[in-house]
Amino acid sequence: NAGVTQTPKFRVLKTGQSMTLLCAQDMNHEYMYWYRQDPGMGLRLIHYSVGEGTTAKGEVPDGYNVSRLKKQNFLLGLESAAPSQTSVYFCASRPAQGKISNYGYTFGSGTRLTVV
Amino acid sequence: AQSVTQLDSQVPVFEEAPVELRCNYSSSVSVYLFWYVQYPNQGLQLLLKYLSGSTLVKGINGFEAEFNKSQTSFHLRKPSVHISDTAEYFCAVSDPLGIKAAGNKLTFGGGTRVLVKP
């Protein structure tokens, strides 16, 4: 019963390097989300997906790309990392509309990324 | 568009005292409301949620929140806090009736840090 798993948990990048964060969920959820958390700003939505093969921009998409080739995986890519992308990244998922009592979002444990 | 305002960025409180964390939201449609807690260096844990029905919602660890539609608020309360309640608390709103293409995403407030003092 893993829920939402994020890898890696920690990473330090140099400016200009690229990397991919992986989010995997085993709950057959349709919707998946990537957020970043910064002090005093709460969590802000980067990109999201409403189903396999579809992605959309959130509130702060610049500098990031995403892909959802398989329903269970949602990848977040940084093509050329910048210090402003130092943050904690959270992935979340939730099922499509169904029984109201089950409505909820499941979060991963986060990835702490530092760009130097 | 939805937005969430948490009026206090930090709330110091003595152990066994009550605490209230304020949350106001703006939305032109009906909403689902959530409170999450984040303990130091950990992920987000759901405290409670309001989906429909009774406006007083009880959650885990003795927390409760009251949905007030006329004031667009969803304040979180606990009658007696413990040292272990030291954490950051996030209020969030979702539009359950939004079209699928919009993703029914969660919008978060800026967070409130609660520091429980002995």
Side-chain angles (χ1 to χ4, degrees):
Chain A
N1 199 14
V4 176
T5 303
Q6 292 184 232
T7 52
K9 295 190 183 305
F10 303 94
R11 185 73 185 269
V12 178
L13 283 180
K14 294 183 179 179
T15 298
Q17 285 186 319
S18 63
M19 77 163 295
T20 300
L21 283 67
L22 171 63
C23 176
Q25 53 95 2
D26 61 0
M27 299 168 287
N28 202 35
H29 286 175
E30 282 196 349
Y31 294 6
M32 297 187 74
Y33 311 84
W34 274 108
Y35 287 90
R36 61 176 288 173
Q37 182 185 20
D38 302 291
M41 307 187 76
L43 280 76
R44 294 178 293 168
L45 184 65
I46 305 171
H47 286 281
Y48 63 97
S49 168
V50 300
E52 182 178 324
T54 69
T55 63
K57 294 180 180 180
E59 183 184 358
V60 288
D62 294 343
Y64 305 95
N65 57 74
V66 288
S67 64
R68 191 154 177 216
L69 299 179
K70 294 182 178 181
K71 186 177 184 178
Q72 63 267 34
N73 296 337
F74 194 30
L75 280 64
L76 178 71
L78 286 73
E79 290 187 348
S80 180
S84 61
Q85 294 177 304
T86 293
S87 187
V88 180
Y89 293 85
F90 286 99
C91 176
S93 71
R94 78 166 188 84
Q97 301 285 35
K99 191 175 179 182
I100 186 173
S101 59
N102 292 333
Y103 191 102
Y105 301 76
T106 303
F107 282 84
S109 58
T111 295
R112 188 173 295 273
L113 175 66
T114 302
V115 183
V116 298
Chain B
Q2 300 164 152
S3 67
V4 179
T5 302
Q6 292 183 242
L7 297 164
D8 305 296
S9 59
Q10 294 188 59
V11 173
V13 58
F14 287 105
E15 194 173 16
E16 298 184 5
V19 69
E20 178 180 81
L21 307 184
R22 296 179 292 170
C23 172
N24 286 89
Y25 68 91
S26 65
S27 176
S28 59
V29 296
S30 61
V31 294
Y32 289 168
L33 294 155
F34 304 80
W35 276 100
Y36 286 88
V37 60
Q38 184 180 35
Y39 298 105
N41 298 313
Q42 294 190 26
L44 293 170
Q45 180 180 359
L46 180 67
L47 272 179
L48 48 80
K49 60 185 177 183
Y50 170 79
L51 305 179
S52 66
S54 172
T55 57
L56 183 63
V57 181
K58 294 189 182 297
I60 62 172
N61 301 342
F63 284 92
E64 65 180 30
E66 186 158 17
F67 170 53
N68 187 319
K69 188 174 182 179
S70 63
Q71 297 192 3
T72 60
S73 67
F74 191 54
H75 300 333
L76 181 72
R77 302 183 183 95
K78 185 170 182 177
S80 176
V81 296
H82 304 292
I83 295 289
S84 59
D85 292 320
T86 293
E88 188 159 20
Y89 294 79
F90 294 96
C91 181
V93 62
S94 167
D95 166 20
L97 301 180
I99 58 174
K100 181 177 180 179
N104 306 131
K105 47 195 174 292
L106 267 180
T107 300
F108 285 85
T112 299
R113 288 188 181 275
V114 172
L115 176 60
V116 181
K117 303 177 180 179

